[in-house]
């Protein structure tokens, strides 16, 4: 049941700290602070390329993973939405690894992508929440998200569990390939281990997120901006807002704004910036300056240091716990989803069963 919560989506949002903590507990050795994967029937040090495909939020989890994997391990990873992937008939390398991410393990397009990869001679690794699913049966190896049943149609806890598995996987690949020193891998594991407590802090300050909802609920269009590993979190924010509150929203890479979408900006368009402190902060800040200069309402999601730097241009600020940039996308996914939830509640939509949607999309 829903316990004390109004909706399954709300209940599942509140499970983020536990679900993320469970993944970390299973996948990081507490003494060595090193990533641990189950035995795999392929050698991560030898794989020449990863080919990834998924749909919707699961695709965004993989896009974030691509950023981590390529930057930390130097292993190239291709990413396509599953409904497009097989139609471009991509050539896949000998000895390559196919990677699929899915909550249900039944999504028709993702399953078809898996079968294409297998027919092209790839080993198949899946990141799944349902270990009895069709994709699980057709995998060579599986990393389980173990987020528990997700009832709300909009993915919440399964998404942060997918991100967490991807983050640890990227570290494991980096270790297998010797691209990072063990001390650096341990430091990044420590950064991940800080997420559950900080996620709980965010949930405890839910009122700060709810306070932003009226401004979004009255908008006809909302833009989400992010850079690097936070760009897919901007995409996730826009998707979650569209599907739960029926408000038109788009996610953009912050630097892409000036190549067209900036023409949309006026005082009626809220622009939500996912911009934790880190190497990409200053670049995003200058993009936000451009938005503010055109009268856009900038809503900043950052830590105290980042928020202070953007004080002059932000219409609203959500201050989040300070976190290492590596772990930030996982933490920032939480307020992004929670804002969509509160806007949907304010709009009075059917939050757990949005119109026209099904939990598991088994047609192509
Ligand atoms: C968004 C959402 C969908 C799913 C997508 C893939 O909130 O829930 O975009 O992420 O349909 O579903 P799975 O993960 O079951 O393959």
């Amino acid at each position: 049941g829903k316990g004390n919560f109004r909706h399954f989506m709300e209940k599942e949002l509140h499970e983020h700290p536990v679900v993320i903590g469970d993944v970390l507990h299973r996948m990081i050795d507490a003494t060595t602070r090193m990533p641990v994967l189950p035995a795999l029937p392929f050698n991560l040090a030898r794989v020449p390329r990863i080919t990834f495909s998924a749909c919707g939020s699961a695709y965004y989890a993989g896009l974030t993973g691509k950023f981590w994997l390529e930057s930390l391990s130097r292993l190239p990873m291709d990413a396509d939405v599953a409904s497009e992937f097989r139609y471009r008939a991509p050539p896949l390398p000998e000895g390559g690894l196919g990677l699929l991410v899915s909550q249900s393990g039944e999504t028709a397009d993702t399953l078809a992508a898996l079968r294409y990869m297998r027919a092209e001679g790839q080993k198949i690794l899946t990141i799944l929440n349902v270990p009895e699913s069709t994709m699980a049966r057709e995998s060579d190896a599986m990393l389980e998200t173990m987020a528990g049943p997700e009832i709300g149609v909009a993915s919440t806890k399964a998404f942060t569990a997918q991100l967490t598995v991807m983050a640890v996987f990227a570290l494991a690949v980096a270790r297998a390939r010797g691209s990072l020193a063990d001390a650096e891998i341990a430091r990044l594991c420590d950064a991940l281990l800080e997420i559950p407590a900080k996620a709980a802090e965010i949930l405890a300050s839910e009122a700060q997120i709810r306070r932003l909802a009226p401004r979004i609920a009255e908008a006809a269009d909302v833009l989400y901006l992010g850079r690097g590993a936070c760009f897919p979190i901007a995409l996730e924010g826009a998707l979650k807002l569209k599907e739960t509150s029926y408000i038109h929203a788009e996610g953009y890479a912050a630097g892409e704004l000036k190549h067209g979408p900036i023409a949309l900006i006026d005082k009626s368009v809220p622009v939500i910036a996912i911009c934790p402190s880190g190497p990409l902060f200053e670049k995003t800040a200058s993009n936000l300056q451009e938005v503010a200069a055109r009268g856009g309402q900038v809503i900043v999601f950052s830590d105290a240091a980042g928020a202070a730097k953007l004080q002059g241009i932000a219409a609203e600020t959500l201050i989040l716990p300070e976190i290492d940039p590596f772990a930030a996308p996982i933490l920032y996914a939480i307020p992004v989803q929670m804002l969509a939830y509160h806007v949907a509640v304010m709009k009075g939509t059917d939050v757990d069963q949005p119109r026209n949607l099904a939990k598991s999309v088994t047609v192509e």
Side-chain angles (χ1 to χ4, degrees):
K2 285 181 270 207
N4 291 327
F5 296 102
R6 285 165 298 174
H7 301 98
F8 282 106
M9 185 177 178
E10 185 182 33
K11 173 175 181 267
E12 289 160 1
L13 282 167
H14 282 261
E15 292 178 62
H16 279 305
V18 169
V19 162
I20 295 166
D22 282 351
V23 171
L24 296 173
H25 184 73
R26 272 186 294 126
M27 296 185 73
I28 296 177
D29 182 299
T31 0
T32 61
R33 291 138 67 227
M34 284 291 141
V36 255
L37 298 183
L40 299 173
F42 41 82
N43 182 348
L44 288 173
R46 293 280 156 72
V47 165
R49 173 174 286 270
I50 293 181
T51 304
F52 159 73
S53 195
C55 298
S57 289
Y59 174 67
Y60 301 151
L63 270 191
T64 313
K66 171 182 159 75
F67 185 95
W68 287 323
L69 189 101
E70 291 189 331
S71 61
L72 298 175
S73 79
R74 315 302 304 146
L75 177 63
M77 173 164 155
D78 285 334
D80 278 278
V81 290
S83 55
E84 288 293 324
F85 171 69
R86 65 196 184 282
Y87 299 112
R88 77 181 161 90
L92 303 181
E94 203 180 314
L97 180 63
L99 175 65
L100 297 304
V101 178
S102 177
Q103 188 284 126
S104 62
E106 302 296 343
T107 303
D109 280 311
T110 308
L111 183 59
L114 181 160
R115 288 173 178 163
Y116 178 96
M117 291 176 192
R118 177 175 296 293
E120 287 287 307
Q122 308 298 288
K123 290 285 189 201
I124 303 296
L125 175 65
T126 49
I127 296 177
L128 303 175
N129 199 42
V130 182
E132 309 79 26
S133 57
T134 309
M135 281 180 224
R137 285 196 302 275
E138 299 191 21
S139 306
D140 296 302
M142 168 175 52
L143 301 174
E144 287 187 54
T145 45
M146 287 194 182
E150 194 179 61
I151 310 294
V153 163
S155 186
T156 51
K157 61 176 178 169
F159 177 68
T160 52
Q162 287 162 353
L163 284 175
T164 309
V165 170
M166 281 289 338
V168 182
F169 176 68
L171 291 174
V173 176
R175 189 169 194 220
R177 299 172 78 86
S179 59
L180 280 186
D182 278 1
E184 178 63 1
I185 294 176
R187 190 187 71 76
L188 295 174
C189 283
D190 286 344
L192 294 176
L193 290 164
E194 288 182 13
I195 297 173
K198 292 182 176 184
E201 269 181 60
I202 293 175
L203 295 178
S205 61
E206 189 166 355
Q208 298 299 308
I209 299 166
R210 197 185 316 116
R211 149 187 84 83
L212 303 173
R215 193 187 275 270
I216 305 301
E218 70 185 19
D221 304 279
V222 180
L223 297 184
Y224 287 77
L225 301 183
R227 267 185 188 261
C230 283
F231 166 46
I233 305 307
L235 296 173
E236 165 69 2
L239 173 60
K240 217 108 293 183
L241 190 70
K242 280 184 275 210
E243 72 179 324
T244 62
S245 73
Y246 316 150
I247 294 173
H248 173 246
E250 297 301 332
Y252 277 101
E256 196 57 16
L257 197 72
K258 56 177 148 322
H259 300 288
I262 199 160
L264 290 170
I265 301 295
D266 65 27
K267 61 182 180 350
S268 72
V269 182
V271 177
I272 298 176
I274 316 302
C275 57
S277 289
L280 301 175
F281 178 86
E282 303 298 336
K283 292 261 155 108
T284 309
S286 72
N287 301 135
L288 298 178
Q289 209 96 48
E290 294 156 12
V291 173
R294 284 156 187 83
Q297 317 168 38
V298 179
I299 300 171
V300 171
F301 283 22
S302 191
D303 43 74
K309 288 183 196 156
L310 294 170
Q311 212 170 18
I313 60 163
E316 300 267 13
T317 307
L318 180 70
I319 298 185
L320 297 160
E322 203 182 307
I323 186 105
D324 188 276
F326 171 61
I330 306 175
L331 194 66
Y332 278 59
I334 297 168
V336 153
Q337 293 180 341
M338 191 160 254
L339 177 60
Y341 171 74
H342 284 294
V343 174
V345 169
M346 189 160 277
K347 290 233 131 186
T349 59
D350 189 350
V351 178
D352 283 335
Q353 294 272 335
R355 67 189 183 198
N356 311 337
L357 290 173
K359 184 66 183 163
S360 182
V361 183
T362 53
V363 292
E364 291 185 18

